[in-house]
Amino acid sequence: MSVVNSQQTQRRINELTRNTIALILAGGRGSRLKQMTDWRAKPAVPFGGKFRIIDFPLSNCINSDIRKIGILTQYKADSLIRHIQQGWGFLRGEFGEYVDLMPAQQRHDEHSWYQGTADAVFQNIDILRARNPEFVLVLAGDHIYKMDYSAMIADHVANKADLTIGCIEVPLEDAKAFGVMDVDDNRRVRAFVEKPENPPIMPGRENTALASMGIYVFNAGFLFEQLIKDADTKGSSRDFGKDIIPAVIDKYRINAYPFLNLQSGQQSYWRDVGTIDAYWAANMELIGVKPDLNLYDNTWPIWTYQAQTPPAKFVFDDDDRRGQAIDSMVSGGCVISGATVRHSLLFSQVRVNSYSEVNDSVILPEVNIARHCRITKAIIEKACQVPEGTVIGEDRAEDEKRFHVSEGGVVLVSAEMLGQRRHYVR
């Protein structure tokens, strides 16, 4: 491609992204994360040492040059709202850039809550119409991945689609947890089924299904028309996957967009961290020498709010009392005081005191681990004060008496479980 053609293509993509509004569905509780979502919505759950889950779709928008963003909030949203206000106020309104919070407001009926994913967008249809976008990008706010949405929008336009659905390849046995598509050789969607017992197999593949990522590019006029039609349909659950998409497949152009690495052609990194085991594993992956999710990629930074903290500190160097972290990630403000941390991820302002050991664990912000503790394969919730001599992760039967233990053996510890005053967690 010539330089001139490349510049023209980039200008066209910039025009498409400027005419796009992204809506991030961030109202879900995420009940499978157990006590981690007792006081916050799933998109506000901390991840990766310094981020929140919602920082990933938000950063994808910014890095894709989409700077008109609405966040649809609902369940226990204060933590999420505070994070957005503190960390995402750098866009310039005079340039038409914004990150707007859009809570449920009873705009069209007596229900105080959004009734489904489609209803969440429908309840804000007047706001969207007033902003007159050409495209609406609908995103889930609770997945971990890096994706260039501008390429997906360009593909949507090139194929003259009414709706394009972002998709990943999943093993057939895992597909029952997703919305699954049946597509032809041109990526046109011929059927869409939510959580099917017998998922359709991808063309030309064995034991693989094409699953929806919950990422949709709509032509704005088409979206508005279908939302109104769905709102007038009795018995609808007001959901994109269950109602909107199945209803339009036969009459309109619905395309699948595979989420692939452009260099290798392989499936790109995407994680649903919706269970304790999945959350723990995704954090543990980051500690690897060459993790699939590269947080050190300066060409695709993950933006967030981060409190100003001092550097991490490691103190004492005696044979039986050495402050050290091995194969670990340690965030700012942490103090490892005569303790050993192995293959673990510590969020900001964690203190691990003398003679304690932390192994294979995720420690959220402001946790204090007292002396002579042994913690293995655990998630310690924010602001927990772990008493001296506590042992976690060595005896499942004992752990289950006090804490939540996942199917995979990950021990989740909250302040309430430790008998500490029930408190609000941000």
Side-chain angles (χ1 to χ4, degrees):
M1 181 184 293
S2 70
V3 173
V4 172
N5 287 340
S6 177
Q7 290 174 339
Q8 290 174 341
T9 300
Q10 187 58 51
R11 280 197 296 269
R12 175 56 177 154
I13 291 174
N14 291 343
E15 180 184 345
L16 296 178
T17 56
R18 281 196 300 270
N19 292 328
T20 297
I21 287 180
L23 297 178
I24 302 178
L25 305 179
R29 172 177 178 174
S31 58
R32 295 178 300 160
L33 284 174
K34 305 300 179 181
Q35 288 81 2
M36 295 192 75
T37 53
D38 276 353
W39 299 100
R40 55 164 92 87
K42 181 181 173 185
V45 170
F47 181 84
K50 59 179 284 187
F51 309 103
R52 305 276 182 142
I53 294 174
I54 198 170
D55 289 326
F56 288 84
L58 277 169
S59 295
N60 289 339
C61 287
I62 298 302
N63 294 329
S64 301
D65 202 28
I66 296 170
R67 303 197 171 206
K68 299 175 182 177
I69 306 166
I71 301 175
L72 280 60
T73 64
Q74 184 160 269
Y75 172 83
K76 294 188 178 179
D78 185 70
S79 176
L80 179 63
I81 290 170
R82 187 180 297 272
H83 176 71
I84 298 302
Q85 290 174 335
Q86 291 176 325
W88 288 91
F90 56 82
L91 299 182
R92 300 298 297 267
E94 58 265 46
F95 296 152
E97 304 173 351
Y98 53 81
V99 175
D100 281 353
L101 293 159
M102 304 168 76
Q105 299 180 64
Q106 295 181 278
R107 303 181 74 88
H108 289 276
D109 57 37
E110 72 281 4
H111 296 296
S112 59
W113 296 116
Y114 295 138
Q115 301 303 297
T117 55
D119 183 62
V121 180
F122 173 72
Q123 292 293 334
N124 294 283
I125 195 171
D126 54 334
I127 297 174
L128 296 173
R129 279 176 160 167
R131 297 178 183 181
N132 195 32
E134 186 176 359
F135 307 103
V136 178
L137 173 66
V138 179
L139 305 168
D142 54 2
H143 299 141
I144 305 295
Y145 63 106
K146 297 194 292 186
M147 181 179 186
D148 186 351
Y149 301 135
S150 68
M152 182 177 175
I153 297 169
D155 182 84
H156 172 84
V157 173
N159 285 284
K160 299 180 180 179
D162 298 293
L163 162 62
T164 298
I165 304 171
C167 55
I168 56 172
E169 299 177 11
V170 298
L172 209 57
E173 61 269 19
D174 297 337
K176 296 179 182 180
F178 294 87
V180 179
M181 288 166 278
D182 187 15
V183 300
D184 64 19
D185 292 337
N186 296 315
R187 295 194 279 117
R188 185 158 182 175
V189 179
R190 296 303 184 185
F192 187 99
V193 188
E194 276 285 344
K195 300 179 180 179
E197 281 299 317
N198 297 296
I201 300 174
M202 281 183 61
R205 300 293 295 274
E206 294 182 3
N207 302 317
T208 302
L210 204 57
S212 170
M213 301 169 67
I215 297 175
Y216 312 117
V217 176
F218 286 93
N219 294 337
F222 172 74
L223 172 63
F224 302 154
E225 177 184 317
Q226 300 309 317
L227 289 174
I228 293 168
K229 187 182 296 184
D230 181 70
D232 292 336
T233 301
K234 292 184 178 180
S236 171
S237 59
R238 310 287 186 251
D239 187 83
F240 283 117
K242 295 177 182 176
D243 305 288
I244 297 283
I245 297 173
V248 300
I249 286 174
D250 291 338
K251 295 182 180 178
Y252 299 94
R253 178 88 188 196
I254 314 302
N255 270 26
Y257 179 81
F259 182 39
L260 302 175
N261 183 295
L262 296 179
Q263 281 73 41
S264 68
Q266 300 298 309
Q267 182 69 66
S268 291
Y269 178 98
W270 182 88
R271 296 289 186 273
D272 180 354
V273 291
T275 67
I276 293 298
D277 286 332
Y279 175 84
W280 176 85
N283 277 283
M284 288 293 100
E285 287 176 344
L286 299 176
I287 299 168
V289 177
K290 292 184 178 180
D292 290 336
L293 178 64
N294 181 10
L295 295 179
Y296 300 88
D297 180 4
N298 292 328
T299 66
W300 201 269
I302 306 301
W303 304 90
T304 190
Y305 166 75
Q306 180 174 248
Q308 297 301 312
T309 58
K313 184 165 71 169
F314 305 80
V315 294
F316 297 112
D317 192 23
D318 303 327
D319 288 341
D320 63 341
R321 191 189 187 199
R322 178 171 292 117
Q324 58 186 342
I326 304 155
D327 283 339
S328 297
M329 295 178 71
V330 180
S331 300
C334 290
V335 178
I336 314 301
S337 176
T340 298
V341 175
R342 285 190 178 89
H343 198 252
S344 295
L345 187 151
L346 275 57
F347 283 75
S348 60
Q349 296 178 303
V350 169
R351 185 180 181 99
V352 187
N353 290 284
S354 293
Y355 314 109
S356 286
E357 295 181 11
V358 177
N359 300 287
D360 300 316
S361 294
V362 179
I363 314 297
L364 270 64
E366 301 169 24
V367 168
N368 182 73
I369 298 172
R371 291 185 170 200
H372 300 288
C373 293
R374 297 197 308 273
I375 297 173
T376 303
K377 201 175 181 180
I379 299 170
I380 311 296
E381 250 287 12
K382 184 175 181 179
C384 282
Q385 304 296 308
V386 181
E388 183 170 346
T390 299
V391 177
I392 297 171
E394 296 181 11
D395 186 327
R396 182 173 182 128
E398 286 299 315
D399 289 335
E400 288 177 339
K401 294 177 182 178
R402 302 179 63 191
F403 312 121
H404 172 81
V405 183
S406 71
E407 290 184 6
V410 178
V411 184
L412 173 63
V413 179
S414 68
E416 292 85 355
M417 296 175 189
L418 291 168
Q420 294 159 13
R421 181 175 175 270
R422 190 176 181 87
H423 62 284
Y424 166 66
V425 178
R426 286 179 179 157

